[in-house]
Amino acid sequence: MKKAKYLVTFLVMAFMLILTACGTSETSGNGSDDSSDEKKTLRVVTDAAYAPFEYQDKGEIVGFDIDLIKAVAKEAGYEIDIAHTGWDPIFVELEKKIADIGISSITINDDRKKTYDFSVPYFLSTNKIMVPEGSPIKSAEDLKDKTVAVQNATTGQEAVEGLLGKNSDQIKKFENNNLAIMELKAGGADAVVADNTVIEEYAKNNPNDKFVIIEDKDAFAQEFYGLMFSKGSKIKADFDKALNEVFDNGTYAKIYNKWFKVDPDVQLLKD
Ligand code: ARG
């Protein structure tokens, strides 16, 4: 009887040990450990609330960026694990080297280059303004006495700060872009400023919201998206090479066509 009790205790403990082992192996960060040559599964982080680039569909992370990073990682010979962390954590994880790659319609700019490395550019974008049909807003200048919703810590926020002043209380900042759009819908803001493709797609796919898009080339610069890495990342070279491969072998055009129904201007990215 006593023996049986020991056996049960032993089995329970062994089982618990196995469980703990599985748990830790799953959560242990696989950041940028350079100590071995063996290719580890890379942690890719994204803010999957930016359709059509990255969003969630029935619990799955999908989008142009997602197809692209899968193709590029395959080309480079790496396994990846894509996590929806939200926007701000992308920057935190890459700075702390918890993640290996950020792909999230991230604009390459000088400020970010101080802290991160970027791949070659893979997409051309610009900020545009989304307003309700019939809005008096016709240009960026017209935003000056209006309330504008943006996603926090984006180039959209920066551009609007340039127009309204850095501490303007007319700027409403949200953790993700969908919340900014909801604010516009609810009448809490007069406009949303965000990457053109995202708001153009939104306006097109949600005709009942009756939103229109305003372009202002003088106010909003051209931007290029890049994969973002930790400073000094050892994998950047492999991914640049793979990106160029994917540009040249038609894979990029295939993915672009799937999402945007037109052919890309690959040369533009290379110039
Ligand atoms: N391109 C802009 C930037 O880099 C906005 C990107 C936002 N991306 C996202 N997945 N929410 O600041």
Side-chain angles (χ1 to χ4, degrees), residues 47 50 54 87 104-107 112 151 154-155 195 225:
D47 171 29
Y50 219 57
E54 43 269 331
W87 181 244
S104 206
S105 316
I106 305 173
T107 299
R112 290 173 182 163
Q151 181 180 10
T154 57
T155 55
D195 291 4
Y225 296 165

Side-chain angles (χ1 to χ4, degrees), residues 59-172:
E60 246 194 277
I61 306 171
V62 296
F64 172 82
D65 279 358
I66 306 307
D67 284 351
L68 182 66
I69 191 65
K70 283 181 180 165
V72 173
K74 191 170 169 213
E75 179 66 44
Y78 288 91
E79 296 283 339
I80 56 169
D81 200 356
I82 304 171
H84 163 50
T85 57
W87 181 244
D88 293 337
I90 296 173
F91 295 84
V92 177
E93 285 209 19
L94 282 166
E95 191 169 0
K96 292 188 175 162
K97 303 195 158 111
I98 297 166
D100 302 285
I101 304 176
I103 186 161
S104 206
S105 316
I106 305 173
T107 299
I108 305 169
N109 65 26
D110 288 341
D111 194 37
R112 290 173 182 163
K113 276 194 203 159
K114 289 184 210 149
T115 318
Y116 306 95
D117 284 345
F118 284 92
S119 70
V120 294
Y122 73 83
F123 196 88
L124 174 66
S125 175
T126 188
N127 277 287
K128 286 191 185 176
I129 309 166
M130 185 161 76
V131 294
E133 232 174 66
S135 160
I137 300 166
K138 302 283 176 235
S139 71
E141 190 64 27
D142 295 337
L143 293 173
K144 287 199 168 146
D145 54 354
K146 297 286 188 293
T147 303
V148 186
V150 295
Q151 181 180 10
N152 189 47
T154 57
T155 55
Q157 177 190 331
E158 210 179 298
V160 175
E161 282 177 350
L163 295 161
L164 305 188
K166 200 162 168 57
N167 298 312
S168 168
D169 53 15
Q170 292 157 238
I171 306 173
K172 289 191 174 175

Side-chain angles (χ1 to χ4, degrees), residues 25-34 40-44 79-81 93 97-100:
S25 77
E26 211 169 41
T27 48
S28 70
N30 43 25
S32 304
D33 185 347
D34 303 324
K40 298 214 172 105
T41 299
L42 301 177
R43 176 170 169 82
V44 176
E79 296 283 339
I80 56 169
D81 200 356
E93 285 209 19
K97 303 195 158 111
I98 297 166
D100 302 285

Side-chain angles (χ1 to χ4, degrees), residues 19 23 79 141 169 190 200 217 224 248 257:
L19 272 186
E79 296 283 339
E141 190 64 27
D169 53 15
D190 302 302
E200 279 160 2
K217 286 188 172 162
F224 285 99
D248 292 341
N257 231 300

